[in-house]
Amino acid sequence: MLSTGQLQQLFSGAWITIQVTAYSAVIGTLIALVGGVASLSGSRLLRWFTRVYVEIFRGVSAIILLFWVYFTLPQLFGIFLTPLQAGMLALGTNMGAYGSEIARGAIQAIPKGQTEAAIAINLSPFHRLRHVVLPQAVVLMLPPFGNLLIEVMKASALVSLIDLSDLTERAQNLRTLRAATSLEIFTAVLVLYFLISASITLGVRALERRFGRGLDVGGGLGGAVK
Amino acid sequence: MATRENEPTSDGESAGGRPSPERPMVRFDSVTKAFGDNVVLDGLDFEVAAGEKLVIIGPSGSGKTTILRVLMTLERPDSGMIEVGGEHLYHEERGGKLVKASEKHVRRVRGKISMVFQHFFLFPHKTVLENITLGPVKALGVPKDEARERACKLLELVGMEGKHDQYPASLSGGQKQRVAIARALAMQPKVMLFDEVTSALDPELVGEVLGVLRDLALNTDMTMLLVTHEMGFAKEIGDRVVMFDNGRVVEEGPPRQMFSQPREARTRSFLDAVLDHE
Amino acid sequence: MTAGAVAQASPATWDWDIAQRMMPELLRGLSVTLQATLVGITVAMVLGLVLAMARRSSLPVVRWPVVGFIEFVRSTPLLVQLFFLFFVLPDLGVRLSGFTAGVLGLGLHYATYTSEAYRSGIENVEKGQWEAAVACNLSTRTTWGSVVLPQAIPTVIPALGNYLVAMLKDAPLLSTIAVLELLAVARQLNSQLFRPLEAFSLAALLFLAVSIPAAILVRYLEKRYGYSRE
Ligand SMILES: Nc1ncnc2c1ncn2[C@@H]1O[C@H](COP(=O)(O)OP(=O)(O)OP(=O)(O)O)[C@@H](O)[C@H]1O
Ligand SMILES: [Mg+2]
């Protein structure tokens, strides 16, 4: 059996995993909202730019992106990135690319009449987006974003490869120390990951209920991210 | 630039405008709008006087909705000019020349107009009260408290007091449309556009909405453009009726004459068809 | 785990010579990545179908473990699953090569996704088809093989295409369990030549050169054959 000390190590690893996931999700969500709006903007240049961004950052494998960010960016620009920063940047930009597509779909799914009614009360384009379209689109975005968040959480295991002591890194560490049987360690780690996933799922459901006030929730967009 | 707004811009007789003692509130000057090959507005000219209640009738697909949408800037005309309250909607004067208006100019002039839609288009994520205060607070900069107070008065006006905190999903069609009217009124527009606002309602709910419209028409000096198939109602509140077909005005006149002795055969056959139906 | 490259003080510039020297090995790595993906998707397609059918079993003792397995595997990281197959199984007496563990891991992980696709494909087959099969007195086997699956599987193909592209993006994870695929080669070259810029940029570009056309092709096929992913 795992000792308390070993469990504690795993818990502190899980905490790092949660942090990396959370930071990446914040970056990813911001990019997704901006990207979703930009991909529908009137400016061709902006649309084109978003398209290229989405294709590249969605097209490249997250692990290759992570290595590229961690080892190459510092070289290219003569800056220093901590593993945490590199992890957030790689996972966040990756999530942002998938998220942009989700956001675009959700915004497009809002009936045109909503924008027209907002024009009839003379709201500025920004206010139309901020107070009329986005609040409704967010409700549609939540379920697929929940799935995306779980993918990001899973991908956060990659940061163990650039020496961040997340849950996966702790597991590998304990295994090489032969601190317990590898089966015990990895079973515990997989269960912890599962619990984090389940919490995310429950959290997103709660958000759906909260944001769904007045709206017919259900239907929504297809949830598939992968 | 800043001073320009206050200047009395080359008043009245602007480019080809015919002199009239009182400026029209709305003026269409050879406005054209086509969707692909489908010419919907074909060099349309017409005027609406300040305070006038204009009823627009015409067969389906004749472009009635398009007139209102072009005026609300939901569709951009292909050519021609539109004036609202003496100002160009889609053009502005710069260096003595009329050029395409900036977004800012369009927004300012558009502030004189508001619209009520056939399908309400209430904001489903906002309560009744929030639906009404959103425009005043965000577009007019009215303080929240004041906006709320005015919204309450408007809700009373449309007979919807006590429903402030409900979401639109819980309202009947007639109630939704009355809230939508209050929402438009809250913008204190000079011109109100109504596009078949009772067509999407169950028959038994039409009356309550028409009642509100009747009050507005008889008790305010707002300019109103109403597209409707409710001929009895049109007769009652309309100052003038315009019959519209194929992108042009076929005939116009006071309701009494239009409905009892239309001059044009086209109008007659249209009215026969509609009134038969009723 | 990694040969940590020291962040340099001054920006590096691209060296074409080095890039050229790296290319042949990177290409060989890329071909391993592609092979792993193809074997992996085959495993996922077969296993996913099995899971989807087992999930419809009338026996709760079959159904619930399958549901649990699917939920568990798709909620946990592929990387940890690969480590499990490669590092933990040997302690239990099962020794797999890196490549075998890798394609098995990819296949298992994605089988939980494909099974969902199959499931909706199967559910979209009209109920009347099952009833007609009963009316014709067909065996369970014939019902699945000749009636249900031939109708369900075509509708699932676009989704499978999407998972193929997704799996391609996960295949470089195999670099962590001693498979000499694209990223492993890049890491190796980096630690030999200390040129992360060329090594990882080329790896990324080579990868994009495959994944973007693949994604565009799948999207095109999806539109062309008009199946929805629902
Ligand atoms: N966005 C659009 N794209 C293409 N065609 C359009 C569009 N909007 C309107 N039309 C066409 O323009 C014509 C006039 O439409 P409009 O809605 O103005 O008619 P209407 O008089 O309001 O008809 P109804 O009584 O049915 O409401 C129709 O032929 C319609 O098909
Ligand atoms: Mg219409």
Side-chain angles (χ1 to χ4, degrees), chain A residues 23-40:
Chain A
Y23 295 146
S24 308
V26 169
I27 297 177
T29 306
L30 288 179
I31 294 178
L33 290 179
V34 173
V37 172
S39 67
L40 295 170

Side-chain angles (χ1 to χ4, degrees), chain C:
Chain C
M1 287 222 48
T2 46
V6 185
Q8 293 180 350
S10 65
T13 45
W14 186 266
D15 186 334
W16 282 107
D17 254 6
I18 295 221
Q20 216 160 19
R21 284 217 327 259
M22 288 178 169
M23 263 322 243
E25 275 189 73
L26 285 170
L27 282 172
R28 231 167 301 151
L30 180 61
S31 92
V32 175
T33 308
L34 296 179
Q35 284 167 37
T37 307
L38 290 180
V39 182
I41 197 71
T42 311
V43 175
M45 279 163 58
V46 175
L47 197 62
L49 184 56
V50 173
L51 289 175
M53 287 168 68
R55 202 179 172 156
R56 286 186 67 96
S57 162
S58 51
L59 300 174
V61 280
V62 177
R63 209 163 57 227
W64 290 116
V66 168
V67 171
F69 176 83
I70 291 174
E71 281 306 314
F72 192 81
V73 170
R74 64 183 287 165
S75 314
T76 51
L78 173 60
L79 183 65
V80 181
Q81 291 160 9
L82 292 175
F83 286 168
F84 191 95
L85 293 172
F86 190 66
F87 296 117
V88 178
L89 283 192
D91 290 352
L92 306 176
V94 183
R95 196 164 292 278
L96 301 175
S97 74
F99 190 83
T100 311
V103 294
L104 203 60
L106 285 174
L108 272 172
H109 193 83
Y110 277 90
T112 62
Y113 288 93
T114 57
S115 76
E116 291 295 304
Y118 285 121
R119 183 164 77 125
S120 64
I122 292 168
E123 273 168 11
N124 283 344
V125 174
E126 275 180 289
K127 218 172 145 232
Q129 295 292 311
W130 293 89
E131 289 167 0
V134 172
C136 299
N137 202 19
L138 302 181
S139 67
T140 311
R141 214 188 131 108
T142 319
T143 306
W144 275 108
S146 306
V147 180
V148 176
L149 292 184
Q151 297 182 64
I153 288 179
T155 66
V156 176
I157 289 172
L160 295 181
N162 279 309
Y163 292 132
L164 173 69
V165 174
M167 184 186 282
L168 176 65
K169 293 172 204 164
D170 274 340
L173 286 175
L174 271 53
S175 64
T176 61
I177 54 170
V179 177
L180 211 55
E181 55 66 67
L182 179 63
L183 181 60
V185 171
R187 290 168 75 177
Q188 221 175 41
L189 289 170
N190 174 40
S191 54
Q192 285 164 8
L193 305 169
F194 301 108
R195 295 295 305 186
L197 176 60
E198 289 80 7
F200 292 119
S201 301
L202 282 178
L205 289 175
L206 280 177
F207 193 87
L208 284 173
V210 178
S211 76
I212 291 183
I216 290 173
L217 183 70
V218 165
R219 250 177 277 155
Y220 168 78
L221 291 176
E222 202 170 4
K223 220 184 249 160
R224 169 93 198 263
Y225 294 104
Y227 300 122
S228 80
R229 248 196 291 169
E230 286 294 278

Side-chain angles (χ1 to χ4, degrees), chain B residues 175-190:
Chain B
Q175 293 175 324
K176 281 183 195 166
Q177 197 58 297
R178 285 184 282 151
V179 173
I181 292 170
R183 178 176 69 180
L185 286 173
M187 298 306 293
Q188 302 189 306
K190 292 198 165 78

Side-chain angles (χ1 to χ4, degrees), chain A residues 55 58-61 67-68 71-72 75-76 98 151 154 157-158 161 168 172 175 182 190 193 197 222 226, chain C residues 2 5 8 11-12 74-77 79-80 83 87 91 109-110 113 169-170 173 187 197 201 207 211 219:
Chain A
E55 288 299 343
R58 205 170 52 155
V60 80
S61 152
F67 276 77
W68 190 84
F71 293 113
T72 307
Q75 257 215 337
L76 266 181
Y98 285 98
E151 295 299 329
K154 285 158 63 184
L158 297 175
L161 305 173
T168 306
Q172 283 289 65
R175 183 182 64 77
S182 56
L190 284 169
Y193 271 119
S197 270
K226 274 244 160 179
Chain C
T2 46
Q8 293 180 350
R74 64 183 287 165
S75 314
T76 51
L79 183 65
V80 181
F83 286 168
F87 296 117
D91 290 352
H109 193 83
Y110 277 90
Y113 288 93
K169 293 172 204 164
D170 274 340
L173 286 175
R187 290 168 75 177
L197 176 60
S201 301
F207 193 87
S211 76
R219 250 177 277 155

Side-chain angles (χ1 to χ4, degrees), chain B residues 120-133:
Chain B
F120 335 128
F121 300 149
L122 289 181
F123 306 128
H125 59 299
K126 299 215 172 277
T127 62
V128 164
L129 198 73
E130 289 166 346
N131 261 280
I132 300 172
T133 56

Side-chain angles (χ1 to χ4, degrees), chain B residues 236-258:
Chain B
E236 189 182 347
I237 62 106
D239 294 323
R240 182 161 58 115
V241 176
V242 171
M243 164 74 193
F244 199 76
D245 196 15
N246 288 327
R248 292 174 167 280
V249 173
V250 175
E251 177 174 4
E252 60 179 291
R256 219 157 282 288
Q257 176 250 309
M258 282 289 282

